[in-house]
């Protein structure tokens, strides 16, 4: 499982832990390195590295602990407070600024210089782990992107080819080729398509596209890959911004288009397949597998699961091109490795963390095919492993090679921003609010980003 927007389930992470990070370390024995992750698949993948590391360092034990995402950051914060945090841990960029500002993370610059550790080996994510003091606090572990997954048989029956999906264009005025395909792929309970006479938008058997409306304030797997093709940027600065551009006319018009898809019956209504707290009750994978949707945007971390759907042939296409027919932009998040400031074994912990960031370990772990390594050569190994399982990662590799990826904005007060923005976006997509909501969102983001 991947971490993208976890603030709603762990807002308590922002509690006042400043000053608690430098005197602990009770979690570590003299020859034991404790490393935490929320991802069960990465826990298994990196265990192969741990075994190799232990053989090369007799007497050293690497203890890998995996906790459910719902509990992970609360446990981590409790460890900071009690002085029993792990020596090192997987972290999300959304939580990085809070931990760095509280003094819970150990700067890696001296280690990097002493060992001549080459940061250029990573394809993505390095700058996401630099704090406002200019210091490097983390090493990239992985990266992720979004693609369009589609039911091959449904597309063929509708008269489309793989090339048609791969070359889809979009614009916020009428939706372009994407809108035409979404309409034609939508089928009501009497077999009429969304672009045919008599189509009943209130009785849908198959939606042409999955949900693009979301309360997620960065829209990672939904609207971000669309609106970014217009030249719109999330913030006024790439990192440490002062405001989010929710009031940009391009963004406002785009949100109106996405809302119209549900109004016209081409995508599920907002909240249709989610519980009251916004959690999915039917996953992206199950929606495509059950035939409820014909195509949808979803994360790269789901690629193997889509491939394993029974009786459904799933194709993978890149995200849409913009109105110019050339521009494609894909938000890429990078999780990373941090060392706790309170570790009793900083040198040994760095040895483990730097090994995890090596070609050898990343290639070894990447062969599991459960995540995308941040080192290009290791990514190739992962692609080869999945190719043996019938999964083609070429779409994602081409995104990286063509420079279509752009990193998530590193910013402060993520939990507060998520809590403030999410319900307003949900109200908009539920038709409880209209375009007047967006200036308020921009203003609120500016207020929260200014808070220390």
């Amino acid at each position: 499982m991947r971490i993208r927007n976890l603030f709603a389930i762990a807002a308590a992470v922002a509690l006042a832990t400043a000053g608690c990070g430098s005197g602990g370390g009770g979690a570590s024995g003299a020859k034991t390195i404790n490393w935490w992750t929320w991802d069960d698949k990465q826990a298994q993948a990196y265990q192969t590295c741990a075994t190799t590391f232990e053989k090369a360092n007799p007497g050293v034990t690497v203890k890998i602990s995996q906790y459910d995402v719902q509990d992970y950051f609360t446990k981590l914060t409790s460890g900071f407070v009690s002085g029993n945090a792990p020596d090192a841990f997987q972290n999300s960029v959304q939580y990085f600024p809070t931990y760095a500002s509280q003094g819970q993370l150990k700067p890696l610059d001296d280690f990097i210089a002493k060992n001549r550790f080459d940061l250029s080996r990573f394809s993505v994510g390095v700058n996401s782990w630099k704090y406002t003091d200019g210091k490097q606090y983390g090493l990239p572990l992985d990266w992720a992107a979004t693609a369009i997954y589609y039911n091959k048989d449904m597309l063929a029956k509708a008269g489309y080819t793989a090339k048609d999906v791969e070359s889809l264009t979009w614009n916020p005025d009428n939706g372009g080729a994407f809108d035409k395909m979404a309409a034609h792929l939508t089928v009501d309970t009497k077999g009429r398509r969304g672009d045919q006479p008599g189509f009943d938008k209130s009785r849908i058997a198959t939606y042409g596209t999955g949900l693009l409306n979301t309360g997620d304030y960065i829209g990672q797997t939904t609207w971000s890959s669309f609106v970014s093709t217009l030249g719109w940027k999330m913030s006024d600065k790439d990192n440490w911004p002062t405001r989010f551009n929710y009031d940009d006319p391009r963004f406002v018009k785009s949100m109106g288009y996405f809302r119209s898809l549900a109004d016209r019956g081409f995508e599920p209504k907002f909240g249709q397949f989610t519980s009251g707290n916004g959690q999915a009750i039917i996953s992206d994978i199950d929606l495509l597998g059950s035939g409820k949707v014909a195509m949808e945007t979803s994360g790269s971390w789901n690629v193997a699961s889509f491939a394993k759907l029974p009786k459904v042939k799933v194709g993978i296409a890149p995200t849409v091109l913009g109105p110019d027919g050339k521009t494609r932009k894909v938000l890429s998040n990078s999780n990373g490795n941090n060392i706790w400031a309170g570790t009793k074994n900083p040198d040994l912990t760095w040895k483990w963390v730097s090994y995890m960031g090596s070609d050898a370990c990343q290639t070894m772990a990447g062969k599991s095919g459960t995540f995308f390594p941040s080192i290009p050569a290791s990514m190739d190994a992962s692609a080869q492993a999945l190719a043996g399982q019938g999964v083609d990662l070429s779409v994602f590799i081409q995104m990286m090679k063509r420079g279509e990826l752009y990193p998530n904005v590193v910013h402060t007060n993520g939990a507060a921003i998520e809590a403030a923005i999410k319900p307003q976006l949900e109200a908009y997509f539920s038709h409880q609010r209209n375009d007047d909501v967006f200036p308020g969102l921009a203003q609120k983001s500016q207020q929260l980003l200014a808070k220390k």
Side-chain angles (χ1 to χ4, degrees):
M1 180 177 179
R2 299 286 305 183
I3 294 293
R4 290 298 163 258
N5 294 286
L6 300 171
F7 304 120
I9 61 172
V13 167
L15 55 81
T17 59
C20 298
S22 59
S28 298
K31 290 288 185 177
T32 299
I33 305 166
N34 283 278
W35 183 75
W36 285 12
T37 177
W38 61 78
D39 190 327
D40 59 334
K41 296 182 179 64
Q42 289 201 41
Q44 295 175 21
Y46 280 112
Q47 185 58 54
T48 59
C49 293
T51 301
T52 301
F53 184 83
E54 290 170 346
K55 289 180 179 178
N57 297 274
V60 174
T61 299
V62 176
K63 183 180 179 182
I64 295 177
S65 300
Q66 181 264 326
Y67 298 100
D68 186 82
V69 66
Q70 304 290 333
D71 303 319
Y72 183 81
F73 290 96
T74 301
K75 284 182 175 291
L76 196 56
T77 300
S78 297
F80 293 157
V81 175
S82 64
N84 288 296
D87 299 287
F89 55 93
Q90 183 180 24
N91 195 9
S92 167
V93 292
Q94 283 94 338
Y95 288 96
F96 161 54
T98 298
Y99 295 162
S101 68
Q102 294 169 351
Q104 301 295 351
L105 307 180
K106 192 169 189 64
L108 305 181
D109 303 80
D110 290 344
F111 292 120
I112 291 170
K114 182 179 179 180
N115 296 110
R116 297 181 180 180
F117 188 88
D118 184 11
L119 292 174
S120 68
R121 70 184 62 180
F122 301 111
S123 57
V124 293
V126 171
N127 290 335
S128 296
W129 298 97
K130 286 185 179 179
Y131 191 52
T132 53
D133 58 7
K135 295 180 180 180
Q136 187 79 31
Y137 284 88
L139 300 182
L141 271 177
D142 57 23
W143 66 277
T146 300
I148 296 175
Y149 297 86
Y150 60 92
N151 184 311
K152 289 184 176 181
D153 292 336
M154 285 185 176
L155 260 75
K157 186 176 180 180
Y160 292 115
T161 66
K163 188 175 181 179
D164 292 328
V165 191
E166 293 164 5
S167 58
L168 281 176
T169 57
W170 171 84
N171 69 71
D173 296 310
N174 57 28
F178 172 81
D179 191 84
K180 292 179 180 179
M181 182 176 287
H184 194 62
L185 289 174
T186 301
V187 182
D188 69 16
T189 54
K190 292 187 176 180
R192 295 168 298 203
R193 295 188 177 275
D195 55 0
Q196 293 178 335
F199 168 72
D200 186 352
K201 67 178 183 180
S202 66
R203 299 178 182 275
I204 303 299
T206 299
Y207 294 97
T209 181
L211 197 66
L212 292 174
N213 302 333
T214 178
D216 168 9
Y217 78 108
I218 62 172
Q220 184 186 7
T221 61
T222 51
W223 45 257
S224 64
S225 62
F226 288 76
V227 69
S228 295
T229 65
L230 307 178
W232 176 85
K233 289 187 175 183
M234 180 76 188
S235 55
D236 60 345
K237 298 178 183 178
D238 291 339
N239 284 326
W240 315 114
T242 63
R243 76 188 313 271
F244 289 153
N245 299 320
Y246 293 125
D247 56 350
D248 185 306
R250 293 169 295 185
F251 182 82
V252 175
K253 181 181 284 189
S254 296
M255 295 303 106
Y257 168 74
F258 301 134
R259 190 167 70 168
S260 79
L261 286 168
D263 294 342
R264 292 178 287 154
F266 302 157
E267 71 169 11
K269 292 181 179 179
F270 185 76
Q272 185 172 340
F273 296 118
T274 59
S275 62
N277 63 3
Q279 300 298 308
I281 55 176
I282 302 180
S283 70
D284 291 349
I285 299 160
D286 291 335
L287 285 173
L288 197 70
S290 65
K292 292 184 183 296
V293 302
M295 66 174 177
E296 62 185 341
T297 59
S298 189
S300 56
W301 53 95
N302 287 327
V303 64
S305 297
F306 276 115
K308 294 175 183 177
L309 282 172
K311 300 180 181 180
V312 178
K313 297 178 182 178
V314 179
I316 310 174
T319 54
V320 296
L321 295 165
D324 62 3
K326 300 177 182 178
T327 302
R328 200 187 319 268
K329 291 291 182 182
V330 187
L331 175 61
S332 176
N333 238 331
S334 173
N335 295 312
N337 232 350
N338 292 152
I339 295 178
W340 179 41
T343 177
K344 290 183 177 180
N345 298 306
D347 292 329
L348 186 58
T349 302
W350 163 254
K351 194 172 185 179
W352 163 243
V353 167
S354 60
Y355 176 62
M356 292 181 76
S358 69
D359 290 25
C361 174
Q362 288 269 299
T363 298
M364 192 184 307
K367 287 181 179 179
S368 67
T370 56
F371 70 98
F372 287 2
S374 294
I375 298 174
S378 302
M379 178 65 193
D380 290 340
S382 184
Q384 291 174 8
L386 281 177
Q389 302 175 33
V391 181
D392 184 4
L393 296 185
S394 60
V395 166
F396 300 103
I397 293 173
Q398 288 303 311
M399 288 178 187
M400 183 170 61
K401 291 183 177 179
R402 290 193 297 252
E404 295 170 348
L405 303 176
Y406 68 94
N408 191 17
V409 178
V410 182
H411 60 85
T412 58
N413 292 318
I417 292 172
E418 170 80 356
I421 302 302
K422 186 173 186 286
Q424 297 303 311
L425 285 176
E426 291 178 346
Y428 174 78
F429 289 124
S430 300
H431 281 281
Q432 298 171 28
R433 295 289 302 274
N434 289 304
D435 289 357
D436 61 301
V437 74
F438 296 112
L441 293 183
Q443 183 179 16
K444 190 64 176 179
S445 73
Q446 190 167 3
Q447 293 171 354
L448 294 173
L449 289 169
K451 285 188 176 181
K452 301 298 183 183

